[in-house]
Amino acid sequence: MPALLEVTDLTKVFGGLRANDGISFTVGAGEILGLIGPNGAGKTTLFHCITGFHRPERGTVRFDGRDITGLPPHRIARMGMARTFQTYVAGGDLTVLETAMVGCFSRTASPSRARIRAREILGFLGLADLADLPIRDLPVAGQKRVALATALGTEPKLLLLDEVAAGLNPGEIGELMDAIRHVHEERGVTLIVIEHVMELVMNLSDRVLVLDSGRVIAQGLPQEVAHDPAVIRAYLGEKYAARYLEEASP
Ligand SMILES: Nc1ncnc2c1ncn2[C@@H]1O[C@H](COP(=O)(O)OP(=O)(O)OP(=O)(O)O)[C@@H](O)[C@H]1O
Ligand SMILES: [Mg+2]
């Protein structure tokens, strides 16, 4: 089966800095790929390049059998790719429901249909009770979850999540993990998940890609990556590796 997403030799330069430096990887349909690495590794830049917000200096992005390198974000979104943003600031006077409806309008022009669909999505993300609140009244973590609802409203084949668990408490992380699994299983959405919350990314992901200084330093199964000396050195640290080994052993 061909890959849903195929990134080849992707390079993005800011002045003298190679934020993405020859990155290559694929994501198969139905997979969950975790994307980890230290601050400034180039994870968000990679999302910007894949989704059309940045134009890479070199390399290609193929999605669903087409070369999408350099296409504008709205065209890529229409093809079935959606994302959330690491820094999400809700503006204006929209309610939670109206914010979720924005995504649905990419698939229907009918406000009543968009409203029904948005309510359904808010429901399974556990946000139904907040539907009529102004989104700016929610804490940042709640706003990010609404952004996830908006992204789902576009009915994506591929969904890119940039640190949606940041700022959540352990209970909320568990709920979010269930919601992401639900999206993946019931709707067949393929996912790339950037996350610093290790229990979330290591539990959810089929495979993990590790970036450091713009380059891929490792990729593989979560347990392989967690034991990789280069990953431990660059990002995870000895303490995490020891804890992960302990938890993973029978
Ligand atoms: N628009 C920009 N102009 C100049 N430099 C940038 C720009 N965007 C990102 N960078 C730099 O590129 C590097 C990669 O940044 P990026 O935001 O992709 O990292 P990240 O892996 O997402 O980090 P974090 O975990 O902190 O979110 C950093 O050194 C950052 O300062
Ligand atoms: Mg980032």
Side-chain angles (χ1 to χ4, degrees), residues 48-70:
H48 286 326
C49 289
I50 293 170
T51 53
F53 287 84
H54 283 333
R55 183 186 277 269
E57 273 73 36
R58 209 178 67 213
T60 54
V61 181
R62 289 185 69 80
F63 174 59
D64 210 9
R66 283 177 58 188
D67 187 346
I68 60 162
T69 323

Side-chain angles (χ1 to χ4, degrees), residues 60-165:
T60 54
V61 181
R62 289 185 69 80
F63 174 59
D64 210 9
R66 283 177 58 188
D67 187 346
I68 60 162
T69 323
L71 289 183
H74 67 275
R75 288 207 34 212
I76 295 175
R78 216 178 295 142
M79 290 172 64
M81 197 191 296
R83 66 174 294 188
T84 66
F85 288 85
Q86 183 173 355
T87 43
Y88 178 74
V89 183
D93 293 320
L94 293 187
T95 64
V96 166
L97 178 65
E98 288 161 347
T99 308
M101 284 170 67
V102 170
C104 302
F105 279 124
S106 73
R107 296 288 161 195
T108 177
S110 151
S112 61
R113 254 187 245 140
R115 193 172 295 111
I116 290 168
R117 183 87 186 92
R119 279 199 189 282
E120 198 181 294
I121 295 168
L122 291 177
F124 82 74
L125 289 178
L127 295 167
D129 293 346
L130 307 177
D132 297 323
L133 289 181
I135 181 160
R136 61 182 141 73
D137 287 0
L138 265 57
V140 172
Q143 293 182 3
K144 279 192 171 183
R145 204 185 276 208
V146 179
L148 173 57
T150 308
L152 285 176
T154 67
E155 295 176 21
K157 289 180 194 156
L158 176 65
L159 177 58
L160 293 85
L161 303 180
D162 196 346
E163 294 196 34
V164 279

